[in-house]
Amino acid sequence: MLEQFVAVMPGTLAPALLVMCLSVMLAVGEGRDKPASAHWRLIGLIVGLIAAIVFASLRASAVINQRTFVNYPVLWCAIIADILAIIVVVFARRITTNWQRHKAIMHIANAIAAIDIALTLFYALPDVILQLTIWVEPGDPIFTSDMLLRALGFALGLAMSIIVAAIFRTLRSTAVRASFAAAVLAVMVILFIQHLTGVMQILQARGFPMGHTAFVALAWSINHNSWMIMAQAFVFLIPAVASVVAGFRMPLTGANEAIGRKHKAFRRCAVASAVWSLVAMIGVTLTLTVGVAATQQTIILSPPEAYSLKDGVATIPFSQVEDGHLHRFEYKAKDGTVMRFIIIKKNGGAYGIGLDACENCGDAGYYEKDGKIICKKCEVAINLATIGFKGGCNPIPFPYKTGNGKITIQTTDLDALSAHFQ
């Protein structure tokens, strides 16, 4: 359960905060006084969610083998949308004040918000949705206590992101607008950095020339992604403190007793919003520190074994891999990429052969535990019968031949799959 919780919450927090922030900054009017474009943000959320579900399904079924093929253009569009959304946040006060006098600008702002929400959800949620595929381990009954605990962890992770965003939203009514806008602007800038980091990762993997400073910045951003997620929560300390200050500045005594009661109520709301916001920040921090540490296990992959490699053919004798255990091998492709592939003898005498990588989790690799083959990244147990077939978290298959007491693999088939280890 904890594994699903710490995987889902960080992945859904940024989209939840983005939806909340843009909703607050562009909120104007009620009922008939609301602009028609106010509903576009909801449409953007729905479109982004549906697109993410479709993309995750295509990845899970291996219809799409290279997610960067889709993520690369999406990230560039998201970066542009982030910049425009930041501009909208900066001028939100002017846009929403007397918006009837400049309806076109209001509609454009809502359109930008809707697009940014849709793109952010589409990029962030597929990895979260793929957690649904590991609720049931292969060969186990569907309804088990373990499955229910995994489902509960997923639901709690999603619920926590929504609750945290809802708690921060309460600050809008007690804090000075400028303080809340500053927090929203910080959230938007951090989101922009996260999207830019994703683009730079793809460019770096494709061999794009990158200066030393840019490379150091990229490495720092990747290694401190959890810090940036926590920062998106802690920036709301600004409106939380402003909320408390505003509450205690309210005079509790005066000529009008009704006003005094009103000020007391405001102070209570201000303090409550600040306290609950602090609780939310602590919850996010504990999830990304203590929670992650509790779930991370340092799994060391077994060392690669020796095999014969001659004239573009890799040869492994049956006697080396017939014990029914996982055997790992290493190969250096023509483009210099170091690859790994695995072989295990399955029930019935057939051999399960594939890359030590999958479409969902990349080149994290597999290890053997208690007779099961387990993905190092997502901890899902692989059904031995499905090794050698496409789909899900199965090892990526490639052509091979068996006969005369040996397994032979053409290195050209491995060369063609080197991108999975880049």
Side-chain angles (χ1 to χ4, degrees), residues 63-117:
V63 174
I64 295 179
N65 296 327
Q66 296 292 330
R67 59 181 177 178
T68 57
F69 176 77
V70 176
N71 283 343
Y72 185 64
V74 168
L75 279 170
W76 275 117
C77 293
I79 288 172
I80 296 172
D82 288 340
I83 295 173
L84 295 175
I86 289 172
I87 296 173
V88 167
V89 169
V90 171
F91 295 99
R93 187 64 177 267
R94 295 184 182 180
I95 294 173
T96 55
T97 301
N98 295 323
W99 66 271
Q100 293 91 342
R101 297 179 181 178
H102 43 261
K103 293 182 179 180
I105 296 177
M106 188 72 207
H107 297 333
I108 292 173
N110 278 320
I112 292 173
I115 292 172
D116 200 31
I117 290 171

Side-chain angles (χ1 to χ4, degrees), residues 256-320:
N256 191 323
E257 186 178 347
I259 293 178
R261 289 196 299 270
K262 183 179 180 180
H263 288 179
K264 287 181 181 180
F266 181 89
R267 179 181 291 186
R268 287 195 298 269
C269 291
V271 173
S273 294
V275 170
W276 278 109
S277 295
L278 183 60
V279 170
M281 297 171 203
I282 294 173
V284 171
T285 302
L286 290 177
T287 299
L288 293 172
T289 53
V290 178
V292 171
T295 58
Q296 284 183 340
Q297 299 178 355
T298 305
I299 303 296
I300 301 177
L301 299 179
S302 60
E305 302 178 19
Y307 63 97
S308 173
L309 183 59
K310 185 178 180 181
D311 297 330
V313 179
T315 304
I316 299 96
F318 288 164
S319 58
Q320 186 176 348

Side-chain angles (χ1 to χ4, degrees), residues 175-189:
V176 178
R177 181 182 173 93
S179 65
F180 194 91
V184 171
L185 185 61
V187 169
M188 299 297 300
V189 170

